[in-house]
Amino acid sequence: MIWDREHETMSRTDLQQLQWKRLQVQVATVYEKVPFYRRAFHEKGLTSGAIRSLADLPELPFTTKYDLRDNYPLGLAAVPVERMVRLHASSGTTGKATVVTYTAHDIDLWAEVMARTLTAAGVTKGDVVHNAHGYGLFTGGLGFHYGAERIGALVLPMSGGQTKRQIMFLKDMGSTVLCCTPSYALRLAEVAEEMGVDLRETDLRVGTFGAEPWSARMREEIQAKIGLKAHDVYGLCEIVGPGVAVECECQDGLHIFEDHFLPEIVEPETGEPLPYGEPGELVLTTLTKEALPLIRYRTGDITSLNPAVCACGRTLARMEKISGRTDDMLIVRGINIFPSQIETVLLQVKGVLPHYQIVVDRRHALDDLEIWIEISDEVFTDDFQRLEALERDLQSELQNALGISARVKLVEPKSIQRSEGKAKRIIDRRDAYG
Ligand code: DLL
């Protein structure tokens, strides 16, 4: 099934014409409305009309997470606050969030690409959609919600947590579609088993999972334990949220909605464009957004592109499953975490040293985050109660900063291995990129 046959099955020539038409408008808009872009264009000796075809795209400047941070919160917006109707956010590289806003047009566009996403996964009117993505600043909850409503499905806005209750609803409401992170899907399967519920015997038949990396092995496990077909959904809040790319029934790469999001793959170190098929960093340019149009946004995600027409009939290029990150961003229980956020917290606490290690593991199918933190000699010789209090304080400060709970383990001075090059802060024992 295809939601928007015209745009999802266009010939590449027609698609490129449409992309070029839209790109010119988007470039002219950012040049006129966003001082950051005007400066960035001028630094490269460009004005708004400087590119003459789609092939000139690599001449335009990149945009990064740092640019969003430096212009926090709304400095890159192309419309005044009066035209914005929604704000979402995800973790930034330091204590500050990455903030994104939407006009009514952007919300409509998002609902549309989410309708396409769900349709590609096999969801139709008449389906009962159990949406266990978090509702709130995270884009997962409302993104899937609007998409499912647009196709006329019945949506259960479950949000995350209260796992036993989720299982009762899955069973009793006759849910046919499950939307959540892949790790939460496994957690649901595990708790269901403990409750004596066999999810394979429910009406569930489709799963759309994303917001974090997951391996082919995890897909097999989810499909076998829950008894559904599991589709990968990719997106990031800076671009729109979920709804950038999705796996169709062929489960052979994720179709990118190229009429709205123009993809490129670049060499992460040099920024040089790479040809189809070569793995590198995914760079996205929005073509139709109003509030936060982004030019050549560096996603930090590693993948490759395949422009071949798919057996499903879609001509939209497919990206491989994400195979890694160019930076040290970690995704734990669907939440993005940067080691620099942890460092920012540690630097504010007396008696704690900026030597730490992050250990991520999977326990009972859920991501488990433990942070080992070195304390100073002076604190180390202190009494036990003070150490316990320090551990509690750190735990709550970290929870505030990261938006997720982490266990804190205080360790002796000089016990964390020092590195001679780049510090290896993360020990990740999950097989997410598999
Ligand atoms: O995670 C949007 C989303 C919600 C996607 C629900 C799918 C489902 P952010 O919080 O901004 O947005 O995080 C974006 O998460 O740059 C990737 O590193 C990672 N990511 C998202 N989807 C996938 C996926 C949402 N399917 C960041 N596979 C991105 C691997 C993913 N990584």
Side-chain angles (χ1 to χ4, degrees), residues 90 133 138-140 144 209-214 232-238 241-242 254 299 301 322 325 329 331 334 336 433:
S90 76
H133 275 300
F138 176 57
T139 50
F144 279 88
F209 306 117
E212 64 185 11
W214 50 309
D232 196 353
V233 177
Y234 170 82
L236 58 165
C237 72
E238 297 91 313
L254 291 80
T299 64
D301 293 314
I322 302 292
R325 295 268 318 161
M329 184 176 95
I331 307 183
N336 306 351
Y433 289 113

Side-chain angles (χ1 to χ4, degrees), residues 334-392:
I335 308 240
N336 306 351
I337 290 178
F338 292 91
S340 51
Q341 290 175 283
I342 294 173
E343 209 162 299
T344 310
V345 169
L346 300 190
L347 289 172
Q348 287 160 3
V349 180
K350 213 169 146 265
V352 168
L353 302 173
H355 295 295
Y356 61 95
Q357 194 127 49
I358 303 167
V359 185
V360 203
D361 211 339
R362 204 156 264 154
R363 264 187 210 202
H364 304 298
L366 262 194
D367 291 343
D368 179 72
L369 181 65
E370 185 166 87
I371 304 171
W372 301 350
I373 302 168
E374 235 179 70
I375 45 179
S376 64
D377 277 317
E378 174 205 330
V379 175
F380 187 64
T381 49
D382 258 7
D383 65 289
F384 188 64
Q385 274 182 351
R386 234 187 97 182
L387 283 178
E388 265 191 346
L390 179 62
E391 210 167 82
R392 269 199 310 276

Side-chain angles (χ1 to χ4, degrees), residues 270-300:
T270 63
E272 285 302 313
L274 291 173
Y276 284 134
E278 294 254 339
E281 181 177 355
L282 176 68
V283 171
L284 292 167
T285 298
T286 63
L287 293 174
T288 48
K289 273 182 67 195
E290 284 186 343
L292 188 68
L294 291 177
I295 305 294
R296 304 193 78 208
Y297 185 71
R298 311 262 317 225
T299 64

Side-chain angles (χ1 to χ4, degrees), residues 46-71:
L46 300 171
T47 57
S48 78
I51 62 164
R52 274 178 298 278
S53 75
L54 215 48
D56 290 341
L57 182 67
E59 287 176 23
L60 296 178
F62 287 122
T63 314
T64 66
K65 235 181 203 302
Y66 299 100
D67 297 324
L68 286 167
R69 184 191 64 190
D70 295 346
N71 293 281

Side-chain angles (χ1 to χ4, degrees), residues 130 132 158-170:
H130 182 107
M158 301 302 298
S159 204
Q162 292 189 279
T163 306
K164 285 190 173 153
R165 189 156 162 267
Q166 302 244 6
I167 286 157
M168 187 180 80
F169 270 74
L170 275 174

Side-chain angles (χ1 to χ4, degrees), residues 83 117 142 177 181 190 221 225 234 244:
R83 291 208 47 219
T117 297
L142 288 168
V177 179
T181 59
E190 193 181 69
E221 205 175 325
K225 286 199 167 142
Y234 170 82
V244 174

